[in-house]
Amino acid sequence: MQRYFANTKKDNLLFLNKEDIYHIKTVMRMKQDDKIEVVFEEKLHICKLDSNYNAIIEQILDSNIQKKQYILCIPVLQEQKMSFILQKATELGVDLIIPILTTRSMVKVTGKETQKLERWKRICKEASEQSKRLTIPKITAIKKITDLDISGLKIVCSVKEKNNTLKKILHNNKKYDRIVMVVGPEGGLTELEEQSLIKLGFIPVSLGKNILRVETVPIYLLSILNYEME
Amino acid sequence: MQRYFANTKKDNLLFLNKEDIYHIKTVMRMKQDDKIEVVFEEKLHICKLDSNYNAIIEQILDSNIQKKQYILCIPVLQEQKMSFILQKATELGVDLIIPILTTRSMVKVTGKETQKLERWKRICKEASEQSKRLTIPKITAIKKITDLDISGLKIVCSVKEKNNTLKKILHNNKKYDRIVMVVGPEGGLTELEEQSLIKLGFIPVSLGKNILRVETVPIYLLSILNYEME
């Protein structure tokens, strides 16, 4: 069954946005009484369509999943790589994405922040529908490294680090509820940036012998977190 | 230093192919005496260029990495997804890729096998250079499910399977030298295909609660294997 996210509810009706209604009518060619899944306030609703393409609630399924919170901090990259990371990170259960400005990011953002943010949010919403999530990952405005003063188990991917493997860190820190991951740009974070993060409590971590592209790293990290939580 | 793979050697000279020489001349704008890394017979050679863009060996570094062999069997997908999987799987250390025909693969291959195979090999070679591997993953001709009679620890990703997690399987089978992974197409393998694989000794495995796209699954699997080998 096709899944959508709703923003508003009135009595037993859930209201979808224009783009979703367009998708239902034109792409899916659904009609009155056809069934869809609608997520509202993190609950899954089995609904049927009325004649105006509103969703009539027939059944509410509670999720009740208590999972650790995954926060991913990534440099602002070119849009193709950015879309890729947002899509895959959404599939793999990321909760919050923080785009960061780093010295070696090559992408200009000045004056384009709002437009980019809207685009990124749309990608995450669509990926959430396709991967049948009950939540859409949140994305913050673009931040600086020094803004990353967040609590939780905090790691920063480092090419200099040789001993601290992800395995060691995850096995020595089993009791966290939230993990914050910082991925650097092509060329890595500068020494200064890495030191700022270490001061904020981030642990440098080696990702092993393979040389991974920037956009592969978030998928690598989230795959392993999912695996460890199995 | 830029890395290339050589096919032939004579005395202290390694010979690169035309495309690589074009890359060195036109893209990298390198000149005589500039240094490059050349991999030949799984050994890394530090070389300098002669006036004909052949590589003069200055130093040979032995690798001596004993790792488990990763074999990935994937359905023939549309070229964009295929490139993506080949690139990322190469970054993550895959050794052998077996493209398979499955009932629910939608891509037509008849008459295009040779052309596709050449393209896939080129993608793997380029990805190997970029991720500084000492080997290029091999790709076989397109095979059928019933051809997958290979020895090793063998798993098939299954949406029906609920109990057998990858973690259980890897922890209960520590002594394998080779792991063979089968990923199904969009819509999954048919019951018949899954049964054929089980008869060949494949263990069905659940990948957890997230709904992953076909092209995400190989990265997920290889990330975890790398993590477990750390």
Side-chain angles (χ1 to χ4, degrees):
Chain A
M1 221 183 296
Q2 199 70 23
R3 179 172 297 193
Y4 302 93
F5 284 85
N7 296 318
T8 46
K9 185 185 166 186
K10 199 186 166 195
D11 303 327
N12 72 333
L13 278 188
L14 289 168
F15 300 100
L16 305 173
N17 69 22
K18 272 185 205 166
E19 290 79 17
D20 289 336
I21 292 177
Y22 176 84
H23 188 263
I24 288 175
K25 281 167 71 170
T26 317
V27 183
M28 302 303 297
R29 294 172 186 274
M30 284 194 274
K31 296 190 181 66
Q32 187 173 354
D33 292 339
D34 280 350
K35 300 248 179 150
I36 57 170
E37 294 177 355
V38 183
V39 180
F40 179 71
E41 289 180 346
E42 301 189 14
K43 287 197 186 68
L44 179 62
H45 299 71
I46 307 297
C47 301
K48 66 175 183 187
L49 293 168
D50 72 10
S51 55
N52 295 316
Y53 298 95
N54 299 318
I56 307 167
I57 301 169
E58 297 202 318
Q59 195 186 353
I60 304 177
L61 303 171
D62 213 335
S63 61
N64 214 11
I65 297 167
Q66 289 293 329
K67 81 170 207 28
K68 294 177 194 275
Q69 201 191 4
Y70 302 152
I71 301 181
L72 180 66
C73 310
I74 44 168
V76 180
L77 302 168
Q78 58 174 89
E79 282 303 323
Q80 202 189 353
K81 289 188 179 181
M82 207 71 185
S83 308
F84 170 79
I85 295 178
L86 297 178
Q87 276 175 22
K88 298 298 168 208
T90 301
E91 277 177 54
L92 290 161
V94 74
D95 296 286
L96 177 67
I97 292 163
I98 306 180
I100 49 171
L101 288 176
T102 65
T103 312
R104 297 195 182 119
S105 314
M106 290 304 179
V107 177
K108 283 180 192 152
V109 292
T110 321
K112 296 182 194 161
E113 292 95 336
T114 320
Q115 187 192 341
K116 279 185 184 289
L117 202 58
E118 283 312 308
R119 190 171 175 277
W120 298 339
K121 282 182 182 168
R122 205 166 53 238
I123 294 167
C124 286
K125 177 175 175 286
E126 285 168 8
S128 299
E129 288 168 350
Q130 290 196 339
S131 57
K132 301 204 166 237
R133 286 178 53 142
L134 291 182
T135 55
I136 303 171
K138 291 190 172 52
I139 308 185
T140 67
I142 300 168
K143 299 199 174 192
K144 286 179 289 185
I145 292 267
T146 45
D147 294 334
L148 300 179
D149 193 5
I150 315 164
S151 65
L153 173 61
K154 299 186 280 194
I155 60 166
V156 49
C157 301
S158 167
V159 283
K160 282 162 244 154
E161 182 57 44
K162 300 291 169 210
N163 298 316
N164 251 341
T165 62
L166 191 55
K167 205 171 198 172
K168 271 193 205 166
I169 295 175
L170 292 180
H171 285 202
N172 294 338
N173 296 277
K174 291 200 184 257
K175 289 199 175 159
Y176 61 92
D177 290 322
R178 179 193 277 166
I179 178 161
V180 189
M181 298 158 272
V182 178
V183 175
E186 209 82 50
L189 294 170
T190 63
E191 181 65 31
L192 205 69
E193 288 170 333
E194 208 168 307
Q195 288 305 323
S196 304
L197 286 169
I198 291 170
K199 269 184 207 153
L200 289 172
F202 282 81
I203 309 167
V205 58
S206 151
L207 298 185
K209 284 178 184 158
N210 296 302
I211 297 178
L212 303 181
R213 294 186 149 228
V214 172
E215 70 272 21
T216 314
V217 177
I219 320 178
Y220 179 88
L221 294 173
L222 289 164
S223 295
I224 288 160
L225 291 178
N226 280 304
Y227 172 75
E228 279 294 6
M229 295 311 120
E230 255 177 12
Chain B
M1 222 182 299
Q2 200 69 23
R3 179 172 297 193
Y4 301 93
F5 284 85
N7 296 317
T8 45
K9 186 185 165 187
K10 198 185 170 198
D11 303 327
N12 73 332
L13 277 188
L14 289 168
F15 301 100
L16 304 173
N17 70 21
K18 274 184 204 166
E19 290 79 18
D20 288 336
I21 292 177
Y22 176 85
H23 188 262
I24 288 174
K25 282 167 71 169
T26 317
V27 182
M28 302 304 296
R29 296 171 184 277
M30 284 194 274
K31 297 190 180 65
Q32 188 173 353
D33 292 338
D34 280 349
K35 301 248 179 148
I36 57 170
E37 293 176 357
V38 183
V39 181
F40 179 71
E41 289 181 345
E42 301 189 16
K43 286 197 186 70
L44 179 61
H45 299 70
I46 307 296
C47 302
K48 66 176 183 186
L49 293 168
D50 72 9
S51 56
N52 295 316
Y53 299 94
N54 299 318
I56 307 167
I57 300 168
E58 299 202 315
Q59 195 186 354
I60 302 177
L61 304 171
D62 212 336
S63 62
N64 214 11
I65 297 167
Q66 289 293 330
K67 80 170 208 30
K68 294 177 194 276
Q69 200 191 4
Y70 301 152
I71 301 180
L72 180 65
C73 311
I74 46 167
V76 180
L77 301 169
Q78 60 175 87
E79 283 303 324
Q80 201 189 352
K81 289 188 179 183
M82 207 71 184
S83 310
F84 171 80
I85 294 179
L86 297 178
Q87 276 174 22
K88 299 298 166 206
T90 301
E91 278 177 54
L92 290 161
V94 76
D95 295 287
L96 177 66
I97 293 163
I98 306 179
I100 48 171
L101 287 176
T102 66
T103 312
R104 297 195 182 119
S105 316
M106 290 304 180
V107 178
K108 283 180 190 151
V109 292
T110 321
K112 297 182 194 162
E113 292 94 336
T114 319
Q115 186 191 343
K116 279 185 184 288
L117 201 59
E118 283 312 308
R119 189 171 176 276
W120 299 337
K121 283 182 183 169
R122 207 165 53 239
I123 294 168
C124 287
K125 177 175 174 289
E126 286 168 8
S128 299
E129 288 168 351
Q130 290 197 341
S131 57
K132 301 203 166 243
R133 286 179 52 143
L134 290 181
T135 55
I136 303 171
K138 292 190 170 53
I139 308 186
T140 68
I142 300 168
K143 298 200 175 193
K144 285 179 289 184
I145 292 266
T146 45
D147 295 332
L148 300 179
D149 193 6
I150 315 163
S151 66
L153 173 60
K154 300 186 278 194
I155 60 166
V156 49
C157 301
S158 166
V159 282
K160 281 162 246 155
E161 183 56 44
K162 300 293 168 208
N163 298 317
N164 251 342
T165 62
L166 191 55
K167 204 171 200 173
K168 272 193 205 166
I169 295 174
L170 292 180
H171 286 202
N172 293 340
N173 296 278
K174 291 199 183 260
K175 289 198 175 159
Y176 61 92
D177 290 323
R178 178 193 279 164
I179 179 161
V180 189
M181 298 158 270
V182 178
V183 176
E186 209 82 50
L189 295 170
T190 63
E191 180 65 31
L192 206 68
E193 288 169 333
E194 209 168 307
Q195 288 305 323
S196 304
L197 287 169
I198 292 170
K199 269 184 206 154
L200 290 172
F202 282 80
I203 309 167
V205 58
S206 152
L207 298 185
K209 283 177 185 162
N210 296 302
I211 297 176
L212 302 180
R213 293 184 151 230
V214 172
E215 69 272 20
T216 314
V217 178
I219 320 177
Y220 179 88
L221 294 172
L222 289 165
S223 295
I224 288 161
L225 291 178
N226 280 303
Y227 171 77
E228 279 294 7
M229 294 311 120
E230 256 178 9

